[in-house]
DNA sequence: CGCCGGTTTGACATACTTCAAGAGAAGTGG
DNA sequence: CCACTTCTCTTGAAGTATGTCAAACCGGCG
């Protein structure tokens, strides 16, 4: 595990200031957090936390993408969450990590030691409130994903995944075609997220290219050339 | 929707007193809840809350089993949660219901109007803490279910479902064979929970009977005749 | 240049679904 | 109490989406 400790940009100018756990904090609270935080960075592929490990710090994702996943004894693995900018890692009040946390791309985290962070939850309602709000969102998206895993076809799964990525990373103009998008995951990681095999992911992606919905400039870089068709392919209600 | 309002048993003698949202409350807080609560009962099959509806009350399950589910336009449905005794229904801080809540068996709920309940969250940390704890559990089990939906075989899904039911409803002696168990769901509902068809559920259940793991006295009533085999069939690590 | 991980593509296998028919239970009304 | 309907469940036969196995491709990097 990389232990690089970077310089700490000020909370006031932080890019995730308004969406992370600290979103509701007032200047005083922010100053207190400022003193507690440590930046850590991880290279793509590095494990950030192992399942079963003691929880020593919690963190916000400042940059990059991490995946939360669980692996069975025989190697089958399922991703149970994709952590993007401003998402929170860790479960205050719990002793251990339940799922592996792995950097999918290079990642920068804003970390807080568990103890002082829990103390802060206990006496600053702004943090606790925001945390509950974020956990509620997590729970909703986990349940949404259960529908995807249990009932959607491979094509619908891929379309839903791409649509979700775009909504999260480019909230502006959601129905417009998009250029220069980047897949933060390999085919295999996408497969693990969607409960498929990497071959099926590859075939569906190329199928959507044939159907004029996507076009690839590179294995990772692509454009959405027909957003309405992509949305229709998700199987979700309009 | 049934609006039967039952007499309110005292919180002090309530059977879910130590596991529900109110678990940590002191006598004063309990008295305050006592004044707010209303019991409601629903017949099996009745809808308790519809997706999209405004959230007017939150509740604890006192008796019976409810299911939380989502249905796609074309009728495919996925259960995203099974609500058993002492489980909490509702999302404080949210305006709307995200998933349908339906009584699977006859159900009795202990309901609180949203407004006063949220006020109570704001000023009694015991409730807020317990709520966070329960949400964290929900999130963990949702993620556990994602692994099941995405990666497990039909047999593993059924075994995991039965094992989970037994653990929740009979926590004592978890590795011992069990008699007189009852399935709270129809084959179709089990299928919706596990991302299968009802035919596959039926075949797997009868397969486990043939294999000497289960025996049925009735379509709903059964015994576990080989608990180690059931546990092994879940595919989970020991 | 030649490896190497990630990806594509093809041929084949299969777990699960779909469709269909029938058997029990369980309720309903005369 | 018995037809009659209605649901739930079982069982079989056939179909298919997706998985598995294997080979070849490709772009990047030492």
């Amino acid at each position: 595990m990389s232990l690089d400790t970077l310089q700490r940009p000020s909370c006031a100018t932080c890019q995730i200031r308004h969406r992370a756990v600290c979103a509701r904090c007032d200047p005083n609270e922010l100053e207190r957090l400022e003193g507690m935080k440590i930046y850590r960075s991880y290279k793509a592929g590095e494990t950030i936390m192992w399942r079963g490990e003691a929880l020593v710090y919690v963190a916000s994702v400042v940059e990059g993408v991490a995946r939360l996943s669980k692996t069975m004894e025989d190697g089958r693995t399922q991703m149970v969450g994709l952590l993007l900018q401003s998402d929170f890692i860790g479960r205050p009040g719990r002793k251990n990590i339940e799922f592996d946390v792995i950097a999918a791309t290079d990642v920068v985290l804003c970390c807080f030691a568990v103890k002082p962070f829990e103390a802060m939850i206990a006496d600053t309602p702004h943090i606790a409130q925001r945390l509950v709000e974020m956990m509620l969102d997590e729970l909703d998206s986990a349940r949404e994903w259960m529908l995807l895993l249990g009932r959607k076809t491979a094509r619908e799964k891929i379309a839903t995944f791409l649509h979700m990525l775009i909504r999260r990373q480019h909230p502006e103009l959601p129905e417009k075609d998009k250029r220069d998008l980047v897949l933060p995951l390999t085919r295999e990681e996408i497969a693990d997220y969607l409960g498929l095999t990497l071959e099926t992911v590859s075939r569906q992606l190329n199928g959507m290219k044939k159907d004029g919905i996507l076009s690839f400039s590179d294995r990772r870089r692509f454009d959405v050339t027909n957003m309405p068709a992509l949305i229709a392919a998700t199987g979700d209600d309009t």
Side-chain angles (χ1 to χ4, degrees), chain A:
Chain A
M1 178 181 358
S2 159
L3 289 173
D4 298 350
T5 301
L6 308 183
Q7 287 176 352
R8 302 173 304 186
S10 125
C11 287
T13 63
C14 174
Q15 46 186 332
I16 60 168
R17 165 79 181 86
H18 299 287
R19 289 192 299 152
V21 244
C22 48
R24 303 229 187 137
C25 290
D26 61 35
N28 277 338
E29 291 161 354
L30 225 48
E31 199 174 336
R32 183 166 164 199
L33 281 175
E34 189 100 48
M36 288 164 52
K37 78 186 191 192
I38 291 175
Y39 271 50
R40 278 188 171 151
S41 64
Y42 298 84
K43 289 259 160 247
E46 279 187 297
T47 297
I48 298 173
M49 303 177 186
W50 285 108
R51 174 173 184 220
E53 219 176 61
L55 184 71
V56 297
Y57 60 90
V58 297
S60 291
V61 177
V62 178
E63 251 168 40
V65 176
R67 54 199 168 91
L68 202 62
S69 51
K70 182 155 185 179
T71 300
M72 295 171 68
E73 286 167 325
D74 62 6
R76 283 176 280 177
T77 99
Q78 176 65 48
M79 228 170 112
V80 298
L82 188 65
L83 301 163
L84 305 181
Q85 198 170 70
S86 83
D87 282 341
F88 185 76
I89 300 177
R91 316 182 309 151
R94 291 300 167 84
K95 293 277 169 299
N96 300 306
I97 315 283
E98 261 293 304
F99 301 94
D100 300 327
V101 184
I102 300 163
T105 65
D106 291 354
V107 166
V108 178
L109 300 184
C110 175
C111 304
F112 308 96
V114 173
K115 281 273 173 57
F117 190 81
E118 283 178 351
M120 199 151 169
I121 290 175
D123 48 53
T124 77
H126 286 158
I127 296 254
Q129 281 164 21
R130 179 70 187 135
L131 203 55
V132 168
E133 206 171 75
M134 291 177 81
M135 281 176 46
L136 237 24
D137 285 341
E138 275 295 312
L139 196 51
D140 282 351
S141 48
R143 286 171 167 164
E144 204 67 52
W145 221 249
M146 286 172 66
L147 174 66
L148 175 145
L149 292 170
R151 294 302 186 200
K152 288 191 173 182
T153 64
R155 173 66 64 107
E156 289 170 335
K157 286 178 175 182
I158 299 282
T160 306
F161 168 66
L162 295 176
H163 186 51
M164 175 278 280
L165 256 192
I166 293 167
R167 248 184 330 176
R168 280 282 325 246
Q169 297 187 327
H170 302 271
E172 67 316 334
L173 296 174
E175 303 84 11
K176 279 302 196 189
D177 291 358
K178 290 275 186 314
R179 322 203 112 259
D180 285 324
L181 299 169
V182 179
L183 288 173
L185 304 177
T186 65
R187 304 292 186 262
E188 185 172 22
E189 289 169 326
I190 296 173
D192 284 344
Y193 198 19
L194 302 178
L196 298 170
T197 59
L198 65 102
E199 293 93 332
T200 301
V201 171
S202 175
R203 279 188 250 266
Q204 291 297 336
L205 246 17
N206 290 310
M208 294 178 82
K209 182 171 121 192
K210 276 209 185 66
D211 295 349
I213 301 176
L214 306 176
S215 84
F216 286 84
S217 48
D218 170 332
R219 280 166 178 168
R220 293 294 194 106
R221 308 185 73 81
F222 68 104
D223 301 337
V224 177
T225 48
N226 187 345
M227 184 62 84
L230 179 69
I231 292 173
T234 62
D236 294 330
D237 10 332
T238 55

